[in-house]
Amino acid sequence: MHVHDAPRDRRTSPTPPNWDLYRQAVVDIGFPGMDVRVEPRARGTVLGAFPEAAGGSAIHVITAWNPLGLTAADEANSRAQRLLLDEVRRRGLPRWHAVGGDRLGTHREESVAVAGLSDAEARALGRRFGQDAVFAWTRTDWRVLACVGGASDVNGWAVTTRSTPGPARDTGHVPGTGTVSGTGTVSSASAGAVLGTTPGSASDSATGIGTGTGTGTGTGTTLSPRPLRAGPARSGPWPA
């Protein structure tokens, strides 16, 4: 995370110079079908539901952007983040796209949320990519973990959720009437195999093989929602 554009000796300070900004930071995480914003609260406070996708494991949030607190070029940040993601993929751990920054969205950094790391492993990974600190989220607390020196700050948390625009991930039924009783394909908000075909609405189309008339429904797995993205499109604050 970037705060100061001056070199510093990270070994001599118990906490990074930007420690308070880490403590106040919020993190957006894109889970399937849902975006979650995590905000620090007073210690002992838990407002909202911890994501089931984590399977009960702690979620650590790590970035490779702006190492050593120095502003890096976009290309350098993107390259470093790709290397971080490659390392997380290599370990085979559950992961989700994340963005960390301030509440107003004036400063945001691409990150990754990872389940299955220990605090020591998360700190080591952050340290490897020149980071001052990483975040740890559990059912009971929200922690800031210094990558050098072992300092930590323990708080409660509150989450704000909103559904991801677009189709849900669940298998659903596609109703329609048509001229065949057979198999075919549907192009609409979901995709799957259907019994019967229908011209549907202007956004639907279908094809099939067979004869007869009637109505039909189909089932299919819908498209995955798009993950969170850093950048101007999402730089503003969330609704209160």
Side-chain angles (χ1 to χ4, degrees):
M1 179 176 285
H2 157 71
V3 176
H4 300 287
D5 281 335
R8 61 183 183 276
D9 189 344
R10 298 160 72 234
R11 300 168 298 177
T12 60
S13 175
T15 59
N18 52 359
W19 188 246
D20 283 344
L21 294 180
Y22 273 102
R23 293 177 64 242
Q24 298 166 18
V26 302
V27 174
D28 298 340
I29 306 174
F31 293 104
M34 179 177 62
D35 291 352
V36 172
R37 168 161 287 192
V38 190
E39 301 188 44
R41 289 290 188 269
R43 190 168 183 172
T45 301
V46 172
L47 298 175
F50 189 75
E52 295 182 2
S57 298
I59 295 174
H60 290 88
V61 181
I62 309 167
T63 184
W65 276 38
N66 300 320
L68 302 179
L70 303 176
T71 302
D74 289 346
E75 182 179 348
N77 279 332
S78 296
R79 181 169 58 251
Q81 190 69 15
R82 286 195 299 269
L83 292 174
L84 171 60
L85 292 175
D86 287 344
E87 176 61 24
V88 173
R89 291 189 192 101
R90 186 187 67 78
R91 300 187 187 197
L93 299 172
R95 60 196 180 275
W96 305 272
H97 186 269
V99 179
D102 63 88
R103 285 185 174 88
L104 296 179
T106 57
H107 179 78
R108 292 164 68 80
E109 296 182 351
E110 290 246 11
S111 306
V112 60
V114 187
L117 292 173
S118 67
D119 286 353
E121 290 171 327
R123 278 176 154 136
L125 197 53
R127 191 162 56 245
R128 174 176 168 183
F129 286 89
Q131 298 301 305
D132 289 321
V134 297
F135 301 100
W137 184 22
T138 69
R139 294 184 184 277
T140 58
D141 54 50
W142 174 257
R143 290 173 288 140
V144 182
L145 309 175
C147 294
V148 176
S152 64
D153 186 78
V154 182
N155 296 282
W157 53 265
V159 297
T160 305
T161 63
R162 60 180 178 184
S163 298
T164 304
R169 278 173 118 21
D170 297 334
T171 298
H173 296 281
V174 183
T177 61
T179 59
V180 302
S181 176
T183 59
T185 59
V186 159
S187 172
S188 64
S190 354
V194 298
L195 299 178
T197 62
T198 173
S201 64
S203 62
D204 297 334
S205 63
T207 60
I209 302 173
T211 60
T213 60
T215 62
T217 61
T219 62
T221 302
T222 61
L223 304 176
S224 302
R226 294 187 65 182
L228 285 165
R229 298 292 182 192
R234 301 190 63 110
S235 62
W238 280 28

